[in-house]
Amino acid sequence: MESGAVVLTGSNCSLSSLQLGDTRSATPQPLMSNLAVLGLQWGDEGKGKLIDLAAEHYDIVVRCQGGNNAGHTVRVGEEVYKLSLVPSGILRSEKTAVVGNGVVINPEALLHEIDSLRAAGVSIEKNLLISNRAHLVFPYHPMLERSSESTPGKRKIGTTSRGIGPCYEDKVARRGIRVAELLSTELFPQRFRSIAEEKFSVAEALGVAEQWDVEGALQLYQGYAERLRPFVADTGKFLNDSIRQGKRVLFEGAQATMLDIDFGTYPYLTSSNASAGGLCTGSGVSPRLLHEIVGVSKAYATRVGEGPFATELHGPGGDALRESGGEYGTVTGRPRRCGWFDIPLLRYAHSINHLSSLFVTKIDVLDYLETIPVCVGYRYRGSPLDWMPAISEEYAEVEPVYKEMPGWDRPTSGITDFDRLPRAAKDYIAFLEDSLDVEIGGVSTGPEREQTIIRQGSVLEAVVSA
Ligand code: GDP
Ligand code: IMO
Ligand code: MG
């Protein structure tokens, strides 16, 4: 399919400064107020890049779930920012970045991130808000996670070891401690002492107890409380008041649909709702106010940690894709498992999130390939399977059916005009678009802000322009 393109020019990448190519449809879509950006695979799709790009046109950027298991790398010129708990919108000084109630916060990690951003000259003081309802990660969370991840005979998930799962466990079991309680000099000491003693006994019984001093940890967290206090607010109220005043909100997804606690490859996933529903519960904003949802997918697939991955490429082929894509985890540095684009998986993710548009990243990573397999269907025990099985053990047995697409003979890296992509690359995008029945509104051709194609007339163009 031939389509138009928008060329990102200047370093600030203002879409008002874009040159327009041929159009897919002459009239831009109506612009709605609020936008969500979500990962569709197993994370690391390049959400941070699109959020940073789109943030220019929104007043507020809010993170809704996950914690410092997320790692979003954003490149702005020579600078490389690695964000984990702070929303990627923080890089634009006039925006408000909100850490919503659905996020689990390790205060030490958050303060470290704040300090690093300050040191890099990023304005924080008036730009960051932290929900008083967000739950906190304490030292016993990673300690207990080590037990579940290292006990022989127990199912290992390959987590990021940040205590995210145990913290969400406590939240759901109604024994968590939230930011508001941390700030209460009256409530916090008593609550922390009783929970910490209980956790320590559990850790001892499991044989994973480490030497730690409850009173020392209490004082440490009281210190964190004073540093965080200026940023803490009822962020649900702030977001709803702001929307009422006509402000536009960008919802920042972390992790991705296949890591979603309900819809992902259970139990090999994270402990929050990383698909569209989690954005509402994690921010306090009604689904009626979530207007457009843009999904982000790589032009191939990756996964970190354990769990089934139907199109995984083992051996030298997988190594070559990893090297071409620089596929090493931002948080843990682990090599990412690599494989081919999976149409049934993307159809499933599209169905759950009801996407307005799809942004395909890292097309340049495929430049070296002569042919590119794309998974167009699954077979399970000899029969075709057209939907994602609920059981991971079944999904692990699925055999992908591939269509070989021709590669392209020249680099796509840095191309900003869709029409300038090699013919075979345009065909590749058109094939994905037709197979998924959702517009591919943009294609990323490199890590930089300006290495981006936004297709004219697309919903994506409408939501990332003023
Ligand atoms: P996120 O977790 O979804 O925000 O993604 P990550 O930041 O963890 O991983 C994506 C990586 O790919 C980052 O290092 C980005 O700088 C990089 N990246 C994003 N888009 C592109 C692209 O189009 N081409 C290339 N080569 N790298 C990209
Ligand atoms: P972003 O936002 C990729 C994976 C871990 C592990 C599983 C559970 O950067 O896309 P957890 O520590 O959450 O209990 O680990 O989920 N995982 C991610 N993989 N990107 C992420 O975030 C991830 N966050 C968690 O590798 O397999
Ligand atoms: Mg990441």
Side-chain angles (χ1 to χ4, degrees):
M1 185 183 307
E2 288 297 312
S3 180
V6 172
V7 181
L8 300 177
T9 51
S11 61
N12 69 355
C13 206
S14 163
L15 290 203
S16 52
S17 68
L18 301 176
Q19 301 154 14
L20 305 181
D22 292 336
T23 57
R24 176 187 159 108
S25 101
T27 328
Q29 306 289 322
L31 184 65
M32 303 298 283
S33 313
N34 302 323
L35 168 69
V37 172
L38 288 173
L40 301 176
Q41 299 166 308
W42 285 285
D44 304 325
E45 294 88 352
K47 299 176 290 291
K49 171 176 166 161
L50 182 60
I51 291 156
D52 166 65
L53 199 64
E56 186 185 357
H57 306 285
Y58 291 81
D59 303 294
I60 300 164
V61 184
V62 56
R63 253 292 289 281
C64 308
Q65 40 71 231
N68 62 328
N69 48 352
H72 304 166
T73 304
V74 179
R75 280 173 199 267
V76 185
E78 296 297 299
E79 297 292 335
V80 178
Y81 300 94
K82 292 191 183 294
L83 297 151
S84 190
L85 274 160
V86 177
S88 308
I90 198 76
L91 301 180
R92 301 196 181 255
S93 61
E94 68 288 13
K95 313 296 173 186
T96 306
V98 175
V99 180
N101 57 279
V103 176
V104 290
I105 299 174
N106 178 325
E108 186 186 2
L110 177 57
L111 287 164
H112 179 71
E113 199 172 333
I114 288 173
D115 289 342
S116 312
L117 285 165
R118 269 196 194 121
V122 176
S123 147
I124 297 277
E125 267 49 49
K126 296 198 184 99
N127 306 68
L128 181 66
L129 289 180
I130 298 167
S131 170
N132 55 358
R133 289 183 166 80
H135 280 252
L136 293 161
V137 176
F138 288 96
Y140 46 76
H141 289 128
M143 188 160 84
L144 291 168
E145 184 168 17
R146 275 192 286 281
S147 148
S148 58
E149 284 288 277
S150 61
T151 310
K154 265 198 176 172
R155 202 154 37 177
K156 183 175 152 60
I157 308 296
T159 68
T160 57
S161 312
R162 299 296 187 266
I164 305 300
C167 183
Y168 277 116
E169 279 177 41
D170 281 352
K171 171 178 176 172
V172 176
R174 296 163 294 183
R175 57 168 176 250
I177 301 179
R178 305 191 297 177
V179 170
E181 283 120 31
L182 173 72
L183 297 194
S184 162
T185 44
E186 212 177 302
L187 282 178
F188 180 63
Q190 176 204 350
R191 191 160 299 182
F192 177 74
R193 282 191 188 107
S194 82
I195 295 177
E197 295 295 352
E198 184 192 320
K199 294 286 179 183
F200 195 68
S201 314
V202 174
E204 260 186 332
L206 291 168
V208 292
E210 286 161 19
Q211 208 58 47
W212 74 301
D213 154 25
V214 172
E215 291 308 308
L218 173 63
Q219 276 175 22
L220 199 62
Y221 272 71
Q222 285 172 322
Y224 297 150
E226 292 322 308
R227 290 194 59 202
L228 291 176
R229 194 180 291 280
F231 300 107
V232 176
D234 186 324
T235 53
K237 180 174 188 310
F238 169 77
L239 290 166
N240 285 303
D241 288 349
S242 303
I243 292 170
R244 220 169 290 117
Q245 288 158 16
K247 296 273 183 0
R248 303 177 72 202
V249 180
L250 175 55
F251 294 81
E252 168 170 333
Q255 289 81 49
T257 303
M258 297 311 295
L259 290 173
D260 181 287
I261 185 74
D262 284 283
F263 298 107
T265 42
Y266 194 89
Y268 301 100
L269 35 70
T270 195
S271 298
S272 63
N273 283 113
S275 54
L279 300 172
C280 297
T281 53
S283 65
V285 176
S286 160
R288 288 185 63 207
L289 295 171
L290 224 171
H291 301 120
E292 304 289 353
I293 302 182
V294 173
V296 186
S297 165
K298 283 177 187 169
Y300 50 98
T302 64
R303 165 162 215 171
V304 209
E306 306 299 317
F309 178 1
T311 62
E312 183 169 9
L313 186 58
H314 298 280
D319 296 343
L321 198 47
R322 182 175 313 109
E323 291 315 311
S324 180
E327 296 294 358
Y328 294 88
T330 314
V331 176
T332 57
R334 289 177 290 177
R336 295 177 183 145
R337 298 156 65 191
C338 297
W340 303 122
F341 194 92
D342 184 336
I343 285 170
L345 181 145
L346 263 285
R347 276 197 194 120
Y348 173 75
H350 176 29
S351 145
I352 285 160
N353 297 304
H354 196 75
L355 303 175
S356 316
S357 187
L358 174 61
F359 185 64
V360 173
T361 58
K362 303 190 97 163
I363 189 99
D364 54 297
V365 172
L366 303 180
D367 285 352
Y368 73 99
L369 290 158
E370 275 176 28
T371 57
I372 308 167
V374 176
C375 172
V376 291
Y378 293 152
R379 292 185 75 78
Y380 177 69
R381 299 191 175 175
S383 304
L385 184 74
D386 65 357
W387 205 239
M388 189 63 62
I391 298 177
S392 271
E393 284 77 2
E394 282 179 23
Y395 187 50
E397 271 190 58
V398 153
E399 292 168 53
V401 178
Y402 288 113
K403 176 181 166 70
E404 293 280 330
M405 300 290 293
W408 36 92
D409 50 5
R410 54 200 170 85
T412 58
S413 181
I415 291 180
T416 53
D417 180 342
F418 191 81
D419 289 334
R420 287 178 188 251
L421 284 175
R423 167 93 258 159
K426 285 195 272 191
D427 289 347
Y428 185 75
I429 295 295
F431 179 71
L432 304 186
E433 187 170 50
D434 290 344
S435 308
L436 296 170
D437 199 22
V438 60
E439 73 160 33
I440 294 181
V443 180
S444 176
T445 58
E448 303 278 344
R449 270 183 190 167
E450 59 271 26
Q451 293 177 309
T452 307
I453 297 168
I454 305 286
R455 297 170 88 185
Q456 192 181 19
S458 64
V459 175
L460 187 66
E461 185 202 11
V463 295
V464 297
S465 40

